[in-house]
């Protein structure tokens, strides 16, 4: 089953990179490989990833330099570093530079998968998109609470903006009502009617429609939740 989550694998050893790519794709991730720091930099600037798997020892720009650069530039994508045995100092430095976790080579693929899932679980599902992000043809601004395109600007409530942020952080993936509720209302859905969420979604679709765009951007997946179809 596809997770709809995007991983950038930065590793100069072709065999390791391709092995990781195959393994993660098998487990439902969409994977892009980068053979060096410059390629990784370019890819991360071009599009959004849910997680970056970053080897420390790379030609041109090292993993540490890259991590530092990204964090200084405000990139918030979770970073899992790949280190070699005995690089204790580097590991600690890596965490100081803003990596979320590290794993020591040689590692088992199952362990790597568990670490990736743990990092994805504990990182805020919306942090990868930041304070201003694209939603279909719109730009959503979390500070001003606006939905804007070439034709105009529509005001959003904080909850509406947060719902859009959750969808934007999970393109193509089913977002359950429970997930929405936890992310936006910061509570568990227990004891709350799911109708509440559905009403908020209906209102959001009205807004998208009035702003001149397809309410179809947010699809209902019967019995499961909603899905943001980027198309
Ligand atoms: Ca390497």
């Amino acid at each position: 089953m596809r997770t709809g989550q995007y991983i950038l694998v930065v590793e100069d050893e072709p065999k390791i990179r391709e092995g990781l790519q195959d393994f993660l794709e098998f487990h439902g991730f969409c994977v892009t490989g980068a053979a060096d720091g410059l390629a990784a930099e370019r890819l991360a600037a071009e599009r959004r990833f849910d997680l970056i798997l970053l080897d420390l020892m790379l030609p041109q720009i090292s993993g540490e330099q890259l991590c530092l650069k990204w964090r200084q530039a405000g990139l918030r994508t979770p970073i899992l570093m790949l280190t070699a045995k005995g690089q204790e100092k580097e590991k600690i430095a890596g965490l100081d530079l803003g990596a979320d976790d590290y794993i020591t080579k040689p590692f088992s693929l199952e362990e790597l998968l568990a670490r990736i899932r743990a990092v994805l679980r504990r990182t805020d599902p919306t942090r990868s998109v930041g304070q201003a992000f694209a939603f279909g043809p719109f730009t959503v601004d979390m500070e001003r609470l606006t939905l804007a395109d070439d034709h105009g600007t529509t005001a959003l409530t904080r909850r509406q903006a947060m719902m859009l942020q959750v969808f934007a952080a999970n393109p193509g993936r089913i977002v359950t009502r429970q997930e929405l509720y936890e992310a936006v209302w910061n509570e568990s859905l227990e004891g709350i009617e799911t109708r509440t969420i559905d009403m908020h979604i209906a209102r959001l679709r009205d807004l998208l429609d009035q702003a001149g765009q397809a309410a179809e951007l947010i699809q209902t997946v019967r019995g499961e939740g909603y899905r943001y179809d980027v198309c």
Side-chain angles (χ1 to χ4, degrees), residues 17-204:
R17 187 178 62 247
E18 284 154 22
L20 288 172
Q21 206 159 342
D22 288 348
F23 174 75
L24 293 172
E25 278 170 0
F26 176 78
H27 286 279
F29 296 99
C30 304
V31 187
T32 306
D36 60 63
L38 291 178
E41 234 187 329
R42 200 177 51 241
L43 283 162
E46 275 170 14
R47 50 192 152 121
R48 191 195 62 82
F49 292 94
D50 294 289
L51 183 128
I52 298 172
L53 211 53
L54 180 63
D55 186 35
L56 269 186
M57 307 281 279
L58 292 168
Q60 298 167 322
I61 311 176
S62 75
E64 288 126 302
Q65 286 171 308
L66 202 51
C67 185
L68 184 64
K69 243 178 143 175
W70 274 333
R71 291 304 187 231
Q72 282 175 343
L75 185 85
R76 298 162 64 147
T77 310
I79 295 174
L80 180 57
M81 276 193 171
L82 306 177
T83 65
K85 249 206 169 90
Q87 289 184 311
E88 287 302 328
K89 255 195 270 166
E90 283 83 351
K91 281 176 206 167
I92 296 161
L95 295 178
D96 282 348
L97 296 175
D100 292 79
D101 200 0
Y102 59 82
I103 186 163
T104 309
K105 290 179 189 174
F107 47 80
S108 78
L109 290 172
E110 293 307 323
E111 186 191 351
L112 176 71
L113 187 63
R115 292 289 191 92
I116 287 177
R117 287 182 174 148
V119 169
L120 288 171
R121 242 192 335 267
R122 71 167 182 263
T123 48
D124 175 347
T126 61
R127 84 172 193 173
S128 58
V129 294
Q131 290 301 298
F133 55 90
F135 186 82
F138 301 104
T139 301
V140 178
D141 187 320
M142 293 300 291
E143 270 159 38
R144 294 189 197 141
L145 297 178
T146 53
L147 177 76
D149 68 359
D150 299 342
H151 308 293
T153 301
T154 306
L156 297 169
T157 65
R158 175 149 297 278
R159 278 182 181 161
Q160 285 165 346
M162 286 170 83
M163 285 199 278
L164 292 177
Q165 198 181 28
V166 175
F167 285 121
N170 296 282
R173 189 175 81 79
I174 295 169
V175 176
T176 64
R177 292 182 177 84
Q178 176 76 35
E179 280 176 273
L180 271 178
Y181 204 77
E182 283 174 10
V184 177
W185 281 263
N186 203 10
E187 289 165 44
S188 116
L189 198 53
E190 225 170 292
I192 304 290
E193 287 188 51
T194 54
R195 230 176 89 76
T196 311
I197 303 278
D198 296 338
M199 281 161 54
H200 280 274
I201 293 285
R203 176 76 191 116
L204 201 51

Side-chain angles (χ1 to χ4, degrees), residues 5-19:
Q5 287 168 313
Y6 291 79
I7 297 184
L8 174 62
V9 175
V10 191
E11 165 65 80
D12 55 321
E13 298 280 341
K15 268 195 187 146
I16 303 181
R17 187 178 62 247
E18 284 154 22

